[in-house]
Amino acid sequence: MQLTSIPKNETERLLAVKSYKLDRSQYDQNFNIITNLACSITNMPNALISIVEEDEVWFKSAKGMTICSSERNLSFCSYAIANDEDIYIVENTKKNLKFINHPYVKASNNPVVFYAGVCLIDKNNHKLGTLCVIDHKENQLNNEQIKNLKLLGKQVVKLIELNKSNHKLKQAKRKLIKKNKMLKGFASQVAHDMKMPLANMILTADILKKKYNKSIDEKGTNYLSNIKDASLSLSSYINNLLNYYENSSIDKKNVECFSFNQLLEEVIDILNIKVNCRINLPEKDFDIVTNRAALELILLNLITNSLKYNDKPETVIDVFLDTEHETHNYISVTDNGIGIAEEKQKKIFKLFSTIEETDRFGQRGHGIGLSTVKKLVSKLGGNISVKSIQGEGSTFKFSIKK
């Protein structure tokens, strides 16, 4: 059999069909729900979502029929998209001269006698295929059923267009992941290449001060001190930046059970605190299950900030753990430090955002630590927030998924 006609915009229509990049799986529940509804609305035993390509018609969803594809010349959907109207109905194919000898009509088992196909028309007026209902006996649709079938057809088009948008997003995500990997590699290489020259600058400054101490005046000594301080600051910046990128790949599935208070004690040992400080651990210890390395880094950053940004004779830090919630553990770190201005609290978790010129040791922050903390908390399935009063202190509260 040959089609009597093809759509006027066939070349553009075929390009449009390919552009949507639909897969041929019939297991997508979103499409299957629509064919189920089509059968229910029209009281028909069969419904298909067809995509019409150059030589073949394949079915994204099939209700009541076990069929994946058909030759285009044999498909009723081909007649539907070649029709000028947006719906094509044949109430009795056995009485229609165009189909009387059609193999699907003459079939001994379950012949196609009634057919109604709503064209799937995209925003550029391309007929991609049809949403059709089929019966094995003569039948008809009333106006309400036709109206509802057309509405379902529009929903199919929205699903197809959404599929295309999702495909583009996945492609963009893959490209971003690839670029991010390249940037991380580049940043890591540059950082490591810079470490040795910086170490040499720090060492050279110390040697010059010691060896030529009597020959250099106070102004020259200050210059050397500035060189050393700047080199140390840049070295710290590089280490923090590397830490930020390296911990972006923390595996949240790499979990273990451990004592929270023991972890805190290890963090305090690592910090080797030189200032007058009192850190209050939770009164009751709990075992928690999460990524230990990630939580250790979070606590290191938060407690370090509590130590650095504090102007009190004694630094007081309270760490609290709440395990009573069903889905998350909640941890807070409270200090009696300098606090954070309200207008700055919203941006402190952004990369490279700083809130103070220098800390108590005269060092400038790089705006990386809290950004790293936020990223790690997110990786652990939680959120972080801050409450602070200038001159009184700050409380950082974060959650981690159980």
Side-chain angles (χ1 to χ4, degrees):
M1 292 187 65
Q2 297 294 321
L3 293 177
T4 55
S5 62
I6 58 175
K8 296 175 183 178
N9 61 345
E10 178 67 358
T11 301
E12 294 81 6
R13 189 196 69 80
L14 288 172
L15 289 173
V17 169
K18 290 179 180 179
S19 74
Y20 287 101
K21 300 184 185 298
L22 276 170
D23 67 77
R24 296 196 175 203
S25 166
Q26 291 188 352
Y27 296 104
D28 192 322
Q29 287 301 313
N30 294 311
F31 289 94
N32 292 340
I33 286 170
I34 290 180
T35 48
N36 281 330
L37 284 172
C39 287
S40 178
I41 288 169
T42 60
N43 295 317
M44 300 287 171
N46 312 291
L48 301 169
I49 293 174
S50 72
I51 304 297
V52 182
E53 296 194 349
E54 186 173 4
D55 300 312
E56 180 189 25
V57 176
W58 60 271
F59 305 104
K60 181 63 182 171
S61 178
K63 168 67 175 176
M65 302 177 75
T66 305
I67 186 170
C68 295
S69 64
S70 169
E71 292 180 29
R72 181 171 175 177
N73 280 339
L74 295 177
S75 173
F76 283 82
C77 301
S78 298
Y79 287 87
I81 68 163
N83 186 50
D84 290 335
E85 303 298 323
D86 58 358
I87 187 168
Y88 185 72
I89 299 175
V90 183
E91 294 183 350
N92 190 338
T93 57
K94 293 182 179 293
K95 295 180 180 179
N96 189 304
L97 293 177
K98 187 184 291 184
F99 300 107
I100 196 168
N101 291 315
H102 195 289
Y104 292 168
V105 176
K106 295 175 68 178
S108 56
N109 293 323
N110 298 324
V112 176
V113 180
F114 173 87
Y115 174 89
V118 172
C119 293
L120 306 176
I121 305 172
D122 71 5
K123 60 186 177 182
N124 295 314
N125 205 35
H126 297 128
K127 293 181 177 179
L128 310 176
T130 68
L131 167 64
C132 64
V133 289
I134 293 169
D135 202 350
H136 307 301
K137 65 180 187 301
E138 183 177 355
N139 213 326
Q140 58 183 202
L141 298 177
N142 60 41
N143 290 336
E144 188 67 19
Q145 289 172 319
I146 291 172
K147 176 185 173 183
N148 289 328
L149 196 61
K150 287 182 177 180
L151 288 174
L152 286 178
K154 290 180 179 179
Q155 290 303 309
V156 175
V157 174
K158 286 182 179 179
L159 282 176
I160 292 172
E161 290 174 343
L162 181 62
N163 178 81
K164 184 176 182 178
S165 297
N166 288 339
H167 183 78
K168 287 182 177 179
L169 284 173
K170 287 178 181 177
Q171 280 188 319
K173 184 180 179 181
R174 284 195 292 269
K175 288 180 180 178
L176 284 173
I177 290 171
K178 186 177 180 180
K179 285 185 178 180
N180 188 46
K181 189 175 180 180
M182 291 172 62
L183 284 171
K184 283 168 65 178
F186 175 74
S188 179
Q189 185 63 49
V190 170
H192 284 102
D193 288 347
M194 290 177 69
K195 278 186 174 182
M196 185 57 70
L198 281 171
N200 288 336
M201 288 171 66
I202 294 167
L203 183 61
T204 301
D206 284 338
I207 291 172
L208 287 171
K209 285 176 68 176
K210 185 174 181 180
K211 189 172 182 179
Y212 299 101
N213 186 43
K214 295 179 181 179
S215 304
I216 302 175
D217 59 15
E218 185 179 351
K219 194 173 183 180
T221 302
N222 289 336
Y223 283 142
L224 289 173
S225 295
N226 289 338
I227 290 172
K228 181 179 179 180
D229 290 343
S231 300
L232 286 169
S233 178
L234 184 55
S235 179
S236 174
Y237 176 79
I238 290 169
N239 287 331
N240 286 334
L241 198 59
L242 275 174
N243 196 40
Y244 177 82
Y245 283 112
E246 286 171 359
N247 285 289
S248 64
S249 57
I250 281 276
D251 184 3
K252 63 184 178 181
K253 294 181 181 179
N254 184 21
V255 300
E256 55 184 297
C257 179
F258 55 89
S259 160
F260 181 72
N261 280 16
Q262 184 181 337
L263 175 65
L264 272 173
E265 289 169 358
E266 291 176 13
V267 167
I268 293 167
D269 287 341
I270 292 170
L271 289 170
N272 191 24
I273 300 168
K274 302 295 186 182
V275 299
N276 184 21
C277 176
R278 174 162 47 93
I279 300 179
N280 299 313
L281 278 60
E283 292 183 6
K284 186 178 179 181
D285 190 16
F286 291 94
D287 284 342
I288 61 173
V289 179
T290 189
N291 186 304
R292 196 179 195 279
L295 182 56
E296 180 179 304
L297 195 54
I298 291 167
L299 292 170
L300 271 170
N301 272 285
L302 294 179
I303 295 174
T304 297
N305 280 353
S306 293
L307 293 167
K308 287 165 62 177
Y309 299 104
N310 199 299
D311 56 355
K312 308 300 189 299
E314 181 187 32
T315 298
V316 180
I317 302 171
D318 296 306
V319 182
F320 180 74
L321 170 64
D322 178 5
T323 62
E324 296 299 316
H325 296 264
E326 184 176 348
T327 58
H328 289 74
N329 290 315
Y330 287 85
I331 301 167
S332 63
V333 177
T334 302
D335 62 54
N336 63 337
I338 60 176
I340 306 166
E342 186 175 354
E343 66 272 14
K344 295 181 179 180
Q345 291 176 21
K346 292 182 179 180
K347 65 178 184 178
I348 59 173
F349 296 108
K350 294 181 179 179
L351 188 60
F352 305 128
S353 175
T354 58
I355 57 173
E356 294 293 332
E357 289 296 320
T358 58
D359 59 25
R360 71 190 300 170
F361 307 110
Q363 300 294 319
R364 287 176 58 90
H366 301 119
I368 299 175
L370 287 177
S371 179
T372 301
V373 166
K374 182 176 176 61
K375 178 178 283 192
L376 290 171
V377 169
S378 179
K379 289 277 184 180
L380 298 182
N383 293 295
I384 186 167
S385 61
V386 61
K387 289 184 179 179
S388 184
I389 300 174
Q390 277 191 289
E392 295 185 18
S394 305
T395 295
F396 286 87
K397 185 176 182 180
F398 64 94
S399 57
I400 52 176
K401 194 171 184 180
K402 290 186 176 181

